[in-house]
Amino acid sequence: MTPEDEYNLQRLKKIAEQRGLGPDGDLSALQGTLVEDEERESGYVKSEVWLTYLSACGDKRFWAALLALTTICQLALVLQDYWIRIWVAEADSSAASDDYSKLSARLGVEKRHRSAVYWIGIYLLLGIAAVFWRMVQTHYFLSGSIRVARNLHSRLLRRVVRATPRFFDSTPL
């Protein structure tokens, strides 16, 4: 028996099992059957699928840069909240003696009352910086997503184009 005949016999047994006929039954009724029944995975996505996707996105430098950009974005948001804390501490006369004095001494800023335009202006600049870094992070992440889509698509297309005719005979549309 040739390897091709052995493969066809195994394939017919598999089709018979899928249709509930049993592998030892009469396979002559299935002789003209080319396409196997589709199989469906259930449960969770396997770790090798995730690793393939993540490695197609980029190497360790890509993920380190994305982590750094995400950290910068979060720090920018925290800095905005911290700026409001400083503003409130400066505006509150009872807290100005404690928190603001310690904070201004730590930052090397002299204690003086500033206008609301100053506080809002700095807050606005921090907000613009946060938006800018979020846009940079999103652009970087989406460029990785486009890279993975192109990479996996070209690998899939290359394998389908180079597949043997047996693949097209036995694979459902």
Side-chain angles (χ1 to χ4, degrees):
M1 187 178 276
T2 67
E4 185 74 21
D5 293 336
E6 183 65 32
Y7 170 79
N8 286 333
L9 181 63
Q10 292 299 323
R11 189 176 56 76
L12 286 176
K13 285 182 180 181
K14 184 177 176 184
I15 292 172
E17 284 180 35
Q18 290 173 346
R19 296 192 180 167
L21 300 176
D24 297 328
D26 182 26
L27 300 177
S28 62
L30 301 174
Q31 198 64 33
T33 305
L34 293 176
V35 178
E36 299 173 9
D37 290 340
E38 290 188 46
E39 295 179 11
R40 176 178 229 164
E41 294 278 338
S42 63
Y44 60 93
V45 178
K46 295 179 182 175
S47 60
E48 60 199 41
V49 174
W50 283 110
L51 289 175
T52 301
Y53 181 82
L54 295 176
S55 65
C57 260
D59 57 357
K60 291 177 185 177
R61 290 178 305 202
F62 171 81
W63 292 107
L66 187 62
L67 180 65
L69 286 170
T70 303
T71 303
I72 289 170
C73 290
Q74 287 305 113
L75 284 175
L77 293 175
V78 169
L79 192 58
Q80 277 186 300
D81 293 339
Y82 193 65
W83 184 253
I84 290 178
R85 179 176 178 245
I86 294 171
W87 183 5
V88 169
E90 192 271 338
D92 188 11
S93 61
S94 64
S97 60
D98 289 339
D99 288 341
Y100 186 67
S101 297
K102 291 176 186 175
L103 190 60
S104 61
R106 203 176 339 149
L107 296 175
V109 177
E110 64 183 63
K111 182 179 173 183
R112 65 178 181 198
H113 293 284
R114 294 190 166 92
S115 69
V117 174
Y118 168 78
W119 295 105
I120 293 173
I122 299 295
Y123 184 76
L124 181 66
L125 287 175
L126 291 173
I128 290 171
V131 169
F132 170 76
W133 284 110
R134 182 64 68 187
M135 287 173 50
V136 169
Q137 183 233 8
T138 303
H139 176 10
Y140 193 74
F141 176 73
L142 291 178
S143 69
S145 298
I146 291 170
R147 185 181 317 112
V148 73
R150 288 181 177 162
N151 189 343
L152 292 179
H153 182 266
S154 67
R155 285 170 40 188
L156 175 69
L157 185 63
R158 195 175 320 119
R159 288 190 179 163
V160 168
V161 167
R162 293 179 181 170
T164 62
R166 180 184 303 159
F167 170 79
F168 295 105
D169 287 342
S170 62
T171 304
L173 290 176

